[in-house]
Amino acid sequence: MTTATAPLSSETGRSHLQESLFSWLAPEPAPQPATPEPLAPPEPAEETEAEDTALTSSESTPDDPPAPPAPEPKPDLSHVWVVAAEIEVAPKIASIADYRGSFKAPEGQRVEALEVYCRGCRRPYDEVKGDDCAEKIDNRHLIGGDQSKRAKRKIPVPPANARIIPGGTINRRGIGAYVAGVSRPKR
């Protein structure tokens, strides 16, 4: 079975239906208040020579120099301090905290702070308390340093008496991989 396609114009295609469906969404023109027509046209005001020269001089002057660009706001490079704490709780609160990942501590409970560090750069408070947050400047310290300067991974060299035998390809995608157990755990 073959089908022929022809370009549709707005009269023969479906686009004219869309126009009529949503025509009620178009804003209506505001009603104009009825104003009486003036009896006589207003007379043009007489211009003096001073006004003529002012107009021509303002038109002939070049545009004013552009205003300097507005200064961009400085990015906030401050640390976000968090405290790793140890709180003793009742068994009921412990089960709630385990399930939800949070809990409410009773008012006035003393909390022992284990460590104070920055949430972004993960560095201790006493090491970086006066510095800017390194995570907001450059995140390289969290990924093991500058990747272009790191040593490349070494390919293991096989022993001298070893023989490399090429194997078949492993299908890691699609239903064949699922059936073969590549992408799902074995039972």
Side-chain angles (χ1 to χ4, degrees):
M1 180 174 148
T2 59
T3 57
T5 58
L8 298 174
S9 66
S10 62
E11 290 79 29
T12 60
R14 294 182 184 165
S15 63
H16 70 282
L17 296 174
Q18 297 296 323
E19 293 170 5
S20 63
L21 282 176
F22 299 104
S23 62
W24 61 274
L25 286 175
E28 295 180 11
Q32 301 276 338
T35 56
E37 293 183 20
L39 298 175
E43 296 181 18
E46 294 181 17
E47 297 180 5
T48 61
E49 289 180 22
E51 290 175 1
D52 289 338
T53 56
L55 288 175
T56 56
S57 64
S58 66
E59 292 172 359
S60 63
T61 58
D63 294 333
D64 293 331
E72 294 182 14
K74 286 184 138 183
D76 181 24
L77 299 177
S78 61
H79 292 278
V80 178
W81 300 112
V82 293
V83 176
E86 189 173 283
I87 303 171
E88 188 175 331
V89 294
K92 182 179 178 183
I93 294 177
S95 68
I96 292 171
D98 183 49
Y99 179 72
R100 290 188 180 161
S102 65
F103 67 96
K104 291 184 179 181
E107 185 178 342
Q109 181 178 7
R110 185 167 180 83
V111 177
E112 184 180 339
L114 300 175
E115 185 181 8
V116 179
Y117 60 94
C118 175
R119 179 183 287 161
C121 64
R122 305 272 188 211
R123 292 187 175 157
Y125 175 78
D126 56 347
E127 287 183 14
V128 294
K129 62 183 168 186
D131 302 336
D132 292 334
C133 183
E135 187 261 343
K136 294 179 181 176
I137 298 171
D138 188 8
N139 211 10
R140 281 188 231 161
H141 72 284
L142 292 176
I143 58 173
D146 187 4
Q147 300 295 310
S148 65
K149 296 179 182 175
R150 287 178 61 186
K152 302 296 179 191
R153 291 188 179 134
K154 296 178 183 175
I155 299 174
V157 179
N161 60 354
R163 206 174 71 189
I164 298 175
I165 302 171
T169 59
I170 299 172
N171 182 11
R172 298 183 189 276
R173 297 194 176 124
I175 190 71
Y178 181 77
V179 172
V182 175
S183 62
R184 63 180 170 83
K186 290 186 178 181
R187 293 184 185 189

